[in-house]
């Protein structure tokens, strides 16, 4: 993930949205979605490739960008290589391995079958099935012969950008900082748009159920606010996501600091957060939309810590 840097001045409008909820709510509007025909699956926008590595880290996975995004948002909470008996699905080499359950098929072929299955779905219940456009991304890759992407989907992480430790699926990290707001979420997984600020959203929904979020996270006033601490709540604070088709999705930040969207986004994408006057922009591009996976207390995969308000 990338560093959010204070870059300038911009004025934008607000739209409705929630984050990290186990029930869907009003969503941000992507005006460019209506009446448009999706472009072919983007492969790469990077001119210099990061080293090869697993999905979720910003490294070069060898996967088409939208396929990588589906794996990151729907699969790697379980298929990370850390669970016994669960095959890792983190890069092209993983996807080309033969399936243990059916050696006549690769894991890529089996993955497509399972995400389309109504009797043996992946991810399994209580998780929602991938959205239709996400399944179409996998089908497009299959129809093209499951080709390897020659270059990376994201940019090289700037030197000294910080962060080394991946957050665990439960969103817990030791040595948290001081809760700047002085207030915490204490009501567990009850489906509120204010729930669990700072914790990973897509990964939690993969395991416990909840809506399929494309991008979700929490904005804080400092880099070190701990999990479940309520984040920044300025009334006009907005996160803006720009996808590979140059479409903007505007997400208001709610009273807990949370933001989210279920809009169809084409990876890779950029993010910035604004208060209507000042803007803090992410350095580079990402394919994973689970922002709090990298924007942890300590920072992971190139993120220096929390997403900070400008």
């Amino acid at each position: 993930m990338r560093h959010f840097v204070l870059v300038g001045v911009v004025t934008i409008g607000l739209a409705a949205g929630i984050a990290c909820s186990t029930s869907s709510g009003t969503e941000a509007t992507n005006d460019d979605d209506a009446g448009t025909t999706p472009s072919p699956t983007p492969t790469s926008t990077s001119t210099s490739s990061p080293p090869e590595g697993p999905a979720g880290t910003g490294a070069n996975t060898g996967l088409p960008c939208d396929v990588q995004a589906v794996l990151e948002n729907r699969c790697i909470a379980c298929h990370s290589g850390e669970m016994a008996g669960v095959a890792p699905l983190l890069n092209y080499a993983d996807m080309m391995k033969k399936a243990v359950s059916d050696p006549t098929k690769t894991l890529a072929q089996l993955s497509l079958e399972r995400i389309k299955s109504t009797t043996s779905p992946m991810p399994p219940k209580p998780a929602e099935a991938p959205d239709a456009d996400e399944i179409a991304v996998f089908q497009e890759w299959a129809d093209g012969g499951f080709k390897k992407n020659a270059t990376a989907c994201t940019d090289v992480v700037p030197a000294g950008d910080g962060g080394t430790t991946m957050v665990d699926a439960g969103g817990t990290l030791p040595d948290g900082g001081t809760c700047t707001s002085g207030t915490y979420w204490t009501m567990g997984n009850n489906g509120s748009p204010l729930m669990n600020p700072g914790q990973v959203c897509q990964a939690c929904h993969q395991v416990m159920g909840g809506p399929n979020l494309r991008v979700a996270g929490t904005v804080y006033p400092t880099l070190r606010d701990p999990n479940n601490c309520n984040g920044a709540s300025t009334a006009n604070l907005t996160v803006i996501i720009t996808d590979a088709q140059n479409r903007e999705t505007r997400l208001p930040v709610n009273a807990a600091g949370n933001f989210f969207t279920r809009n169809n986004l084409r990876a890779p994408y950029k993010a910035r957060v604004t208060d209507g006057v000042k803007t803090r922009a992410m350095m580079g591009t990402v394919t994973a939309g689970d922002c709090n996976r990298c924007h942890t207390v300590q920072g992971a995969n190139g993120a220096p810590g929390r997403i900070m308000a400008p």
Side-chain angles (χ1 to χ4, degrees), residues 159-201:
D161 210 18
T164 56
T165 306
M166 177 70 80
V167 68
D168 66 278
T172 303
L173 275 174
D175 303 321
T178 300
C179 179
T180 307
S181 68
T183 62
Y184 288 83
W185 172 260
T186 59
M187 298 177 66
N189 300 325
N190 75 349
S192 167
L194 306 176
M195 68 186 291
N196 298 333
Q199 295 202 34
V200 288
C201 299

Side-chain angles (χ1 to χ4, degrees), residues 70 73-74 115 129-139 212 214:
V70 173
N73 284 337
R74 305 287 168 253
I115 64 175
D131 294 329
D133 67 284
E134 294 177 305
I135 296 173
V137 161
F138 251 87
Q139 187 65 61
N212 285 340
R214 299 305 180 91

Side-chain angles (χ1 to χ4, degrees), residues 8-293:
V9 178
V10 63
T11 302
I12 57 176
L14 297 181
I18 63 173
C20 246
S21 172
T22 54
S23 61
S24 60
T26 306
E27 298 162 11
T29 300
N30 186 334
D31 295 332
D32 295 330
D33 276 343
T36 60
T37 302
S39 300
T41 301
T43 53
S44 176
T45 60
S46 179
T47 56
S48 58
S49 292
E52 290 191 6
T57 65
N60 182 1
T61 67
L63 296 166
C65 300
D66 276 349
V67 172
Q68 181 173 314
V70 173
L71 291 175
E72 288 170 331
N73 284 337
R74 305 287 168 253
C75 307
I76 66 172
C78 295
H79 290 274
S80 63
E82 298 175 358
M83 296 177 64
V86 179
L89 301 177
L90 295 172
N91 54 36
Y92 183 81
D94 286 344
M95 299 300 287
M96 292 301 105
K97 291 176 182 176
K98 297 298 183 182
V100 173
S101 60
D102 186 349
T104 67
K105 300 173 182 176
T106 64
L107 286 173
Q109 292 170 315
L110 186 61
S111 295
L112 177 59
E113 289 183 7
R114 295 292 299 277
I115 64 175
K116 295 168 66 174
S117 175
T118 57
T119 57
S120 183
M122 277 291 172
K125 298 295 183 183
E128 287 187 4
D131 294 329
D133 67 284
E134 294 177 305
I135 296 173
V137 161
F138 251 87
Q139 187 65 61
E140 180 182 335
W141 188 37
D143 293 344
F146 293 110
K147 292 181 180 178
K148 186 176 183 179
N149 189 16
T151 54
C153 297
T154 55
D155 305 308
V156 176
V157 177
D161 210 18
T164 56
T165 306
M166 177 70 80
V167 68
D168 66 278
T172 303
L173 275 174
D175 303 321
T178 300
C179 179
T180 307
S181 68
T183 62
Y184 288 83
W185 172 260
T186 59
M187 298 177 66
N189 300 325
N190 75 349
S192 167
L194 306 176
M195 68 186 291
N196 298 333
Q199 295 202 34
V200 288
C201 299
Q202 281 92 316
C204 182
H205 291 190
Q206 289 171 38
V207 176
M208 300 182 65
N212 285 340
L213 307 179
R214 299 305 180 91
V215 171
T218 310
V219 180
Y220 280 101
T222 79
L223 287 175
R224 304 292 175 230
D225 282 275
N227 285 336
N228 292 325
C229 169
N230 290 318
S233 59
T234 304
N236 61 344
L237 204 58
T238 305
V239 173
I240 307 174
I241 307 298
T242 305
D243 77 355
Q245 294 178 336
N246 207 34
R247 300 176 299 182
E248 285 192 349
T249 299
R250 294 171 168 83
L251 309 173
V253 177
N254 67 22
N258 291 337
F259 60 90
F260 108 111
T261 184
R262 294 192 66 170
N263 282 352
N264 174 1
L265 301 173
R266 302 304 297 265
Y269 24 79
K270 300 178 182 180
R272 63 190 191 272
V273 56
T274 181
D275 61 7
V277 178
K278 296 175 293 184
T279 295
R280 192 179 298 275
M282 175 177 283
M283 295 173 65
T285 56
V286 294
T287 54
D290 206 351
C291 303
N292 292 343
R293 176 175 283 274

